[in-house]
Amino acid sequence: MSARASKAHAQIYRYISEQDPAAALRVGRRIVEATAALGRHLTGRPGRYRRSYEKSLPDIHYILVYRLERRSGEDIVLIVDIVHSRRDWPPGQLPPT
């Protein structure tokens, strides 16, 4: 997970936990589970951000923006950002943080 995605994950957790700590745990776990699942089986659609893909998580209303990268001879999935599905952002860019 990129630094940007890690920051988004922490912000999402903090925001939701102010109203409902149990819901914050569920959302946080779902993001972690979806991230791990991408490492086993890639799903999603071509993304709006350059060279990215998007995995929609409609049950929690978030989108994982990810890239496939090659590091040390291995293909990896890098989560670039986590964005609320109601957010709009221009093609080729990530939404402002």
Side-chain angles (χ1 to χ4, degrees):
M1 197 175 282
S2 71
R4 180 186 179 106
S6 293
K7 181 179 175 184
H9 192 217
Q11 288 173 332
I12 291 164
Y13 179 82
R14 277 194 303 273
Y15 177 78
I16 296 172
S17 68
E18 290 174 5
Q19 298 298 315
D20 188 342
L25 286 173
R26 285 192 303 274
V27 169
R29 277 194 209 114
R30 178 69 174 102
I31 289 169
V32 169
E33 290 166 1
T35 298
L38 283 172
R40 293 187 301 274
H41 181 71
L42 296 174
T43 58
R45 62 180 180 259
R48 290 165 263 198
Y49 184 56
R50 63 187 178 277
R51 298 183 348 258
S52 73
Y53 298 89
E54 296 176 9
K55 173 61 179 166
S56 181
L57 305 175
D59 54 326
I60 60 169
H61 308 287
Y62 282 93
I63 299 168
L64 298 179
V65 180
Y66 69 95
R67 282 188 177 156
L68 303 177
E69 294 192 355
R70 190 144 186 92
R71 293 192 183 167
S72 302
E74 292 189 41
D75 292 327
I76 65 158
V77 175
L78 176 66
I79 305 300
V80 178
D81 204 354
I82 305 167
V83 183
H84 195 277
S85 60
R86 294 183 112 190
R87 234 158 140 205
D88 193 20
W89 71 90
Q93 299 177 22
L94 290 171
T97 55

